[in-house]
């Protein structure tokens, strides 16, 4: 399949390993990533707070770029997925559309609303399908217990996101099972990582992240996996601060979603950028049992 | 036509503070039809098995808001949650009191923290005494004005949102979704004369601690959509006062940041929000992250078609006044 690749800002900057892992996995599955150097940032929810209609307009421009090329959009960040989808939903309101079109039309940009925005989790579980994913597994992650961390914007608000049950999602666990890992069930999997208030009140943000990591740990997780690089920053890069807030050692390796898939497909830790994590992933990798045939 | 029953195992939280050493979970297994509401099952347990089970309820019709509790970790009204899907998904039904409020007994919580936050926002119309409402006459509102708060009056104050909110859980400075949704209702009421004052006062009092995780909107049984109203309040607070708080400065800073080249410049944003002094406090963490992720110091590329983004900003920022 061919799809317009919307990496978002973090995967092009401090979360480069997410971009590396995405490219590796998509290559393995024959997904052609079409790049558009004119995509802008999605506003990350913050522009939406400062100026809603502006936020819709910059995302309508992003949507229109892919639409014009006749391609759907692939996101690898829950916040990008949320913001692009929200723009699509808001543009169904004729009053909003008129205001936004007023800014886009003079630039020759036309947004029709035909483009679909799909997160990598959905592409892997629905478009490619779990049997095809399974068929590529060379090194099943047997023995590794993984807490899927959905975070917020893939799921909620459910009326807008609408890809699966926001309260009882299971696609991430299905994917983990398909690559041989054992998913761990815990309440925190659909909770917030705290990132949006990291700059407003870091202690509260880190306390929230810490709670979710502790919850995954209490349910036996060797590692967590997230579909969002902002959650990854909160859970991995700031995990030391989270540990301080919850007064407990955490030492929880946190994978980006395509890293887990890539590992099972046989990619090396270097190819997936695992050394760029703040919390080492070795302990989780050591849990993977060698295949019986090896 | 009779419906087949299923075997429904309930694990119910039991705790009498001051009397019991610790909370425990008590198992009751009932044969019920899948469409039985959890509340009906709890009342059956209390009537037929254990009369000491403490719970709060009244109308049984999702109107009074009394029976909010956690059902398999979700904050819900027990009267409108059917047992069938819960048993199917979880194999059992774990019933616990709401979160973020102290337990009084079993499933009954002390709601005073929730109501205290509600009282703080002064949930009544503030009118100008010099311009009293005309005696015996209704004040008129246009349909568009009414439309702005068509959702918030549906709130039944069940506190499911308060129970579901991770910001409430982590920080007592956050007023909670319901109080903020109510505040919104008065801010957009054209009869209220304290709009500016309400917005100015809420900025340093928790507005910017909302995570926009939308867990409140998910929990709300009446589709009040508190998280969206909180977003509205944030935009109105910025319009009223600009960036006086870290939260509003961050939102404004992010918006301005994209004018630089279309992609986020992380370092520049930290500077805009926290200032140089705030940045100094983050140097240690910054170096830790930078050693693994040196890109945080790099200026991102400028996107192609940046002129388009600039023109969109020129047209919509600040947003042009809407037609009334």
């Amino acid at each position: 399949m061919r799809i317009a690749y919307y990496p978002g800002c973090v995967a092009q900057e401090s979360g480069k390993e997410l971009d590396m892992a995405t490219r590796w996995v998509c290559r393995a599955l024959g997904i052609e990533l079409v790049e558009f150097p004119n995509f802008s940032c999605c506003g990350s929810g913050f522009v939406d707070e400062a100026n809603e209609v502006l936020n819709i307009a910059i995302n309508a421009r992003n949507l229109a770029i892919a639409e014009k090329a006749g391609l759907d959009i692939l996101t690898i960040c829950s916040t990008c997925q949320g913001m692009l989808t929200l723009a699509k939903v808001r543009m169904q309101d004729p009053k909003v559309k008129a205001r936004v079109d007023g800014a886009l039309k003079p630039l020759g940009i036309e947004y029709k609303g035909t483009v679909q925005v799909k997160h990598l989790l959905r592409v892997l579980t629905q478009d490619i399908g779990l049997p095809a994913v399974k068929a590529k597994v060379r090194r099943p992650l047997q023995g590794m217990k993984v807490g899927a961390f959905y975070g917020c914007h893939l799921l909620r608000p459910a009326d807008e996101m609408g890809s699966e049950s926001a309260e009882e999602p299971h696609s991430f666990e299905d994917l983990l099972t398909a690559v041989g890992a054992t998913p761990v069930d815990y309440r925190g999997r659909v909770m917030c990582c705290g990132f949006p208030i990291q700059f407003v009140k870091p202690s509260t943000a880190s306390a929230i992240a810490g709670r979710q990591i502790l919850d995954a740990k209490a349910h036996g997780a060797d590692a967590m996996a997230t579909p969002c690089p902002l959650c990854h920053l909160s859970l991995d890069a700031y995990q030391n601060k989270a540990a301080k807030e919850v007064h407990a050692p955490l030492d929880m390796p946190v994978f980006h979603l395509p890293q887990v898939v890539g590992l099972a497909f046989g990619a090396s830790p270097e190819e997936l950028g695992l050394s760029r994590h703040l919390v080492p992933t070795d302990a989780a990798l050591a849990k993977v049992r060698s295949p019986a045939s090896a | 036509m009779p419906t087949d029953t299923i075997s429904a195992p309930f694990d119910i939280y039991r705790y009498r503070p001051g009397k019991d050493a610790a909370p425990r979970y008590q198992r009751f297994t009932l044969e019920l039809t899948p469409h039985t509401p959890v509340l009906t099952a709890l009342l059956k347990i209390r009537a037929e098995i254990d009369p000491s089970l403490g719970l709060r309820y009244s109308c049984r019709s999702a109107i009074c808001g009394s029976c909010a509790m956690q059902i398999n970790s979700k904050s819900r009204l027990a009267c409108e949650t059917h047992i069938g899907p819960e048993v199917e998904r979880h194999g059992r039904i774990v019933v616990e009191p709401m979160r973020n409020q102290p337990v009084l007994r079993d499933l009954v919580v002390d709601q005073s923290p929730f109501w205290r936050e509600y009282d703080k926002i002064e949930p009544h119309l503030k009118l100008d005494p010099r311009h009293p409402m005309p005696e015996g006459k209704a004040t008129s509102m246009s349909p568009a004005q009414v439309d702005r708060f068509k959702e918030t009056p549906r709130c039944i104050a069940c506190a499911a949102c308060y129970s579901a909110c991770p910001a409430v859980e982590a920080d007592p400075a956050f007023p909670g979704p319901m109080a903020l949704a109510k505040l919104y209702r008065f801010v957009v009421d054209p009869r209220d004369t304290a709009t500016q004052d309400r917005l100015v006062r809420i900025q340093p009092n928790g507005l910017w601690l909302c995570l926009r995780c939308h867990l409140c909107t998910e929990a709300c049984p009446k589709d009040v959509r508190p998280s969206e109203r909180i977003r509205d309040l944030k935009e109105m607070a910025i319009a009223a006062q600009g960036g006086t708080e870290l939260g509003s400065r961050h939102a404004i800073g992010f918006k301005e940041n994209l004018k630089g080249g279309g992609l986020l410049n992380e370092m520049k944003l930290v500077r805009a929000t926290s200032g140089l002094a705030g940045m100094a406090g983050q140097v240690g963490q910054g170096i830790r992250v930078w050693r693994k992720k040196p890109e945080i110091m790099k200026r991102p590329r400028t996107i192609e078609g940046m002129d388009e983004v600039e023109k969109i900003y020129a047209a919509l920022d600040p947003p042009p006044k809407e037609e009334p």
Side-chain angles (χ1 to χ4, degrees), chain A residues 45-126:
Chain A
F46 294 106
V47 176
D48 183 44
E49 292 176 339
N51 183 339
E52 184 181 29
V53 72
L54 172 71
N55 187 61
I56 296 169
I58 59 173
N59 284 310
R61 173 182 171 274
N62 286 326
L63 293 166
I65 289 169
E67 198 173 75
K68 196 174 169 191
L71 296 169
D72 287 338
I73 290 178
L74 171 73
T75 64
I76 51 172
C77 167
S78 300
T79 302
C80 297
Q81 176 70 25
M83 283 300 122
L84 290 166
T85 308
L86 214 56
K88 246 179 92 72
V89 173
R90 296 280 182 267
M91 285 292 277
Q92 287 166 9
D93 179 340
K95 269 172 71 184
V96 173
K97 189 167 190 307
R99 295 183 84 194
V100 171
D101 281 346
L104 298 186
K105 286 248 166 86
L107 307 174
I109 299 172
E110 190 189 6
Y111 167 74
K112 295 198 195 82
T114 55
V115 59
Q116 296 293 311
V117 185
K118 300 172 177 182
H119 188 278
L120 180 62
L121 177 60
R122 179 176 157 192
V123 168
L124 293 180
T125 54
Q126 291 182 21

Side-chain angles (χ1 to χ4, degrees), chain B residues 2-321:
Chain B
T3 313
D4 288 342
T5 60
I6 56 168
S7 180
F10 286 84
D11 287 326
I12 300 178
Y13 179 98
R14 305 299 305 268
Y15 185 47
R16 292 169 304 171
K19 288 186 184 162
D20 300 338
R24 67 194 165 93
Y25 289 83
Q26 192 176 1
R27 168 66 61 103
F28 301 92
T29 304
L30 275 65
E31 292 294 320
L32 298 165
T33 56
H35 58 262
T36 306
V38 170
L39 179 60
T40 305
L42 294 175
L43 293 176
K44 193 174 162 69
I45 290 168
R46 198 173 70 165
E48 298 174 12
I49 311 172
D50 187 345
S52 73
L53 176 64
L55 73 152
R56 203 182 252 141
Y57 75 100
S58 179
C59 77
R60 300 182 237 194
S61 306
I63 294 166
C64 76
S66 300
C67 69
M69 53 187 75
Q70 285 193 89
I71 299 164
N72 285 330
S73 295
K74 301 173 294 250
S75 296
R76 287 270 187 88
L77 294 181
C79 67
E80 61 166 13
T81 305
H82 293 174
I83 64 159
E86 295 302 320
V87 173
E88 200 175 313
R89 167 73 174 83
H90 298 276
R92 61 179 184 151
I93 302 168
V94 182
V95 187
E96 297 164 302
M98 279 195 283
R99 299 171 81 90
N100 302 334
Q101 298 148 91
V103 173
L104 292 173
R105 179 189 171 132
D106 299 338
L107 304 173
V108 182
V109 296
D110 172 7
Q111 293 194 302
S112 11
F114 170 74
W115 288 113
R116 209 160 37 231
E117 296 301 334
Y118 176 61
D119 288 341
K120 271 197 229 162
I121 63 119
E122 302 183 288
H124 51 264
L125 276 182
K126 292 192 180 180
L127 303 173
D128 184 344
R130 287 165 302 174
H131 302 99
M133 279 201 210
E135 197 74 41
K137 277 174 77 181
T139 41
S140 62
M141 259 189 257
S142 70
Q145 284 172 323
V146 175
D147 212 39
R148 293 190 73 189
F149 56 94
K150 64 180 191 296
E151 288 154 336
T152 36
R154 292 200 295 248
C155 174
I156 55 173
C158 66
C161 60
Y162 195 80
S163 168
C165 176
V168 168
E169 189 175 335
D171 199 324
F174 186 58
M178 178 268 205
L180 289 172
K182 286 284 180 189
L183 177 68
Y184 166 89
R185 177 248 171 281
F186 290 101
V187 166
V188 296
D189 192 316
R191 298 166 296 178
D192 196 87
T193 53
T195 296
Q196 179 79 11
D197 178 55
R198 289 180 190 276
L199 289 172
V200 167
R201 279 199 296 147
I202 198 61
Q203 277 232 63
N205 283 304
L207 174 64
W208 294 97
L209 291 175
C210 169
L211 298 151
R212 59 181 135 78
C213 67
H214 301 294
L215 280 158
C216 55
T217 291
E218 203 50 45
C220 178
K222 294 293 168 189
D223 206 22
V224 169
R225 311 184 76 78
S227 51
E228 293 174 10
R229 301 296 75 81
I230 296 171
R231 190 222 67 84
D232 294 341
L233 280 176
K234 287 173 175 173
E235 185 169 350
M236 288 187 282
I238 287 177
Q241 212 187 1
T244 54
E245 302 299 313
L246 283 174
S248 40
R249 281 225 297 278
H250 194 66
I252 296 168
F254 204 112
K255 184 191 74 184
E256 295 301 314
N257 195 290
L258 301 191
K259 282 190 201 167
L263 297 176
L264 176 65
N265 183 331
E266 295 179 17
M267 270 302 120
K268 207 171 149 192
L269 179 61
V270 175
R271 198 167 66 225
T273 305
S274 311
L276 287 173
M279 274 180 100
Q282 296 165 31
V283 165
Q285 186 70 11
I287 291 174
R288 270 188 84 246
V289 176
W290 169 78
R291 286 169 61 182
K292 296 282 187 176
K293 301 167 181 287
E295 299 82 1
I296 59 166
M297 293 299 289
K298 253 178 60 188
R299 193 167 171 267
R301 69 183 164 85
T302 296
I303 61 163
E304 290 178 15
M306 188 55 210
D307 56 318
E308 293 172 0
V309 175
E310 281 163 3
K311 282 174 187 151
I312 293 171
Y313 268 75
L316 294 175
D317 190 44
K321 283 262 176 287

